[in-house]
Amino acid sequence: MPSGIRPIDVLLERAGVRGHQRAPSDSKEFHEVTKRDALRLLEHDVDRLLETTEKARQPALKAEMGRFADLFGRFIQEEGPALDWNKIQKLPENAVMNYSNLKSPQNEQIRNMLDKLVVIKLNGGLGTSMGCHGPKSVIPVRSDLTFLDLTVQQIEHLNKTYDANVPLVLMNSFNTDEDTEKIVRKYKGFRVQIHTFNQSCFPRISREHYLPVAKDFDVEKDMEAWYPPGHGDFYDTFRNSGLLKKFIEEGREYCFLSNIDNLGATVDLNILNKLVGEERATTPVEFVMEVTDKTRADVKGGTLIQMENKLRLLEIAQVPPEHVDDFKSVKTFKFFNTNNIWANLAAIDRVLRERTLNMEIIVNNKTLENGTRVIQLETAVGAAMKCFDGAIGINVPRSRFLPVKKSSDLLLVMSNLYTLKNGSLVMSPQRMFPTTPLVKLGENHFSKVKEFLGRFANIPDIIELDHLTVSGDVTFGRGVSLRGTVIIIANHGDRIDIPAGAILENKIVSGNMRILDH
């Protein structure tokens, strides 16, 4: 598209709308009219899509597409960054509690506390970025156990230990639903009630004309034309599934929600004690965001700010370009969001009923395989924080943030840095300091899980490792030990084989090295 021409102008030309037919093109009135036209055209296209599906499905899909149209309507109304930087206030003293100040509950209270809890895992993502088919939650991460296996083990352990009944809820997407439904059957004999529901399925819209690229409602036929609209969609779809009502009627009070690939996001009894135990505040805490200290590796992560006397999440996408460096500063913004969220169920019900739920829109630009440029409109679950009363942050240990996004993260969780205890990863007491090593593995040779595993006879000892960089065609023999800072770089066309039993401490290895066993 030529520079200076906006997608909205192209859309209006398609609709036969010209500036001279209405008010002058730079007037406020003109912009309002064009926005209304954009929304009207989108709604017309969505209605056309709905007509392509069977009658029985239309009422539910119409409600879903109504939410999509609302999101699009908000998107075209917004102008510029959604945030006035000058309105950011200093975080109040009590805005972020220190985890070390929380008290542990008495043993006899724990069962009663757990019966007020629901655990929700965000399970909408695929394992494609790590070279795996199907839901990411079924990738084996430790002792042949998957993310889902570990989650079920953790909750079953809680239920058995305290004679409780904490249910597990999986929020799937249309990408993961079918496979997940088959997989959860294997947990039938476990002491965990598992519920699933699907988040919405919204149409991607063209960046050229702001209309859906889908030709009909057959999602399976053209998966690329559709997308799950981010985890902010949780609130509406959780309510629409009937599960929110069911859990409130059972007397449950809070949900603990986290990404299924965050292996540090386990049920924390000290936080639960603050919400429903003897440490419960007189003024209800309706929303808790777990944050942790920001390091230079986390500068792009969302942070907490105070604005208009409300605690809220600030994402890098909302930051005006001239303030991006301020946002990344570890001194200015000390915390980042782990996306471990505790929310009051009755409060979720209230903000949905009163229609006060308002989350900033994340505009995600994509290019489809056929070259079509599209946008998908998303929201983040933590952005709802400002809609709840008595929201707080809790500054938790780094151990509660252990996401597995890349093979370098997989190396850490598969290593002797951790031991597995009842589905939870616990850092080895032999590790002298609580931080994990910084690991960078070359994209070309290590990004896919199968390829990554093929390069290690077994995972090296990294108890004393600070920093590891590996680039190029490198393999590791059995029983290798890496300590301090280790950099291994095989030049293009060369290969480096680290021999079995090798101890590399503060070493740089480069060039070509093959050592064969005799």
Side-chain angles (χ1 to χ4, degrees), residues 470-508:
V470 182
S471 178
D473 188 358
V474 179
T475 65
F476 293 80
R478 186 167 291 279
V480 171
S481 182
L482 305 172
R483 302 171 187 172
T485 296
V486 177
I487 298 169
I488 306 167
I489 298 172
N491 298 326
H492 184 68
D494 290 343
R495 175 169 153 181
I496 295 175
D497 294 329
I498 305 297
I503 298 172
L504 300 182
E505 183 169 1
N506 297 321
K507 286 276 189 293
I508 296 175

Side-chain angles (χ1 to χ4, degrees), residues 42 45-46 48-49 68 203-206 209-214:
L42 178 106
D45 238 45
V46 165
R48 177 187 58 76
L49 285 175
F68 170 66
R204 284 175 165 152
I205 51 180
S206 161
H209 50 60
Y210 278 22
L211 293 175
V213 293

Side-chain angles (χ1 to χ4, degrees), residues 106-221:
Q106 304 291 325
N107 249 20
E108 60 272 16
Q109 295 178 325
I110 294 174
R111 177 187 169 181
N112 185 41
M113 285 166 41
L114 288 171
D115 284 343
K116 293 175 181 168
L117 181 68
V118 180
V119 172
I120 298 171
K121 293 288 181 180
L122 302 172
N123 185 47
L126 291 168
T128 42
S129 65
M130 295 176 77
C132 298
H133 296 292
K136 188 175 182 182
S137 55
V138 301
I139 297 175
V141 284
R142 180 86 190 207
S143 310
D144 283 334
L145 297 170
T146 66
F147 291 105
L148 199 47
D149 292 336
L150 295 175
T151 301
V152 170
Q153 279 191 13
Q154 288 163 20
I155 297 175
E156 184 185 50
H157 173 67
L158 271 180
N159 287 340
K160 280 182 170 176
T161 305
Y162 300 106
D163 191 25
N165 182 23
V166 177
L168 170 64
V169 179
L170 302 173
M171 182 171 90
N172 301 327
S173 68
F174 66 90
N175 287 318
T176 62
D177 176 50
E178 199 177 320
D179 288 335
T180 302
E181 289 301 328
K182 290 175 191 164
I183 291 156
V184 295
R185 290 178 200 152
K186 76 174 183 178
Y187 304 118
K188 222 168 185 176
F190 287 68
R191 191 170 164 174
V192 184
Q193 279 181 30
I194 301 177
H195 305 268
T196 62
F197 70 97
N198 265 21
Q199 69 179 117
S200 302
C201 175
F202 285 176
R204 284 175 165 152
I205 51 180
S206 161
R207 279 167 69 185
E208 298 301 315
H209 50 60
Y210 278 22
L211 293 175
V213 293
K215 301 286 186 287
D216 56 41
F217 234 109
D218 190 345
V219 177
E220 294 291 317
K221 189 177 77 181

Side-chain angles (χ1 to χ4, degrees), residues 361-378:
I361 295 170
I362 300 160
V363 181
N364 202 339
N365 292 294
K366 300 265 183 187
T367 302
L368 304 186
E369 279 183 13
N370 65 6
T372 304
R373 298 190 311 157
V374 296
I375 57 174
Q376 53 190 53
L377 306 176
E378 303 175 9

Side-chain angles (χ1 to χ4, degrees), residues 46-47 49-69 174 198-203 216-219 226 240:
V46 165
D47 286 343
L49 285 175
L50 284 167
E51 284 166 14
T52 67
T53 191
E54 56 265 31
K55 284 269 188 285
R57 292 184 66 212
Q58 284 183 7
L61 289 175
K62 191 165 185 177
E64 195 165 295
M65 289 302 100
R67 292 201 304 278
F68 170 66
F174 66 90
N198 265 21
Q199 69 179 117
S200 302
C201 175
F202 285 176
D216 56 41
F217 234 109
D218 190 345
V219 177
W226 303 85
N240 296 343

Side-chain angles (χ1 to χ4, degrees), residues 377-404:
L377 306 176
E378 303 175 9
T379 53
V381 68
M385 186 178 207
K386 63 181 183 294
C387 309
F388 291 87
D389 297 330
I392 61 167
I394 296 181
N395 185 12
V396 297
R398 184 78 185 201
S399 57
R400 291 193 57 73
F401 184 67
L402 190 58
V404 180

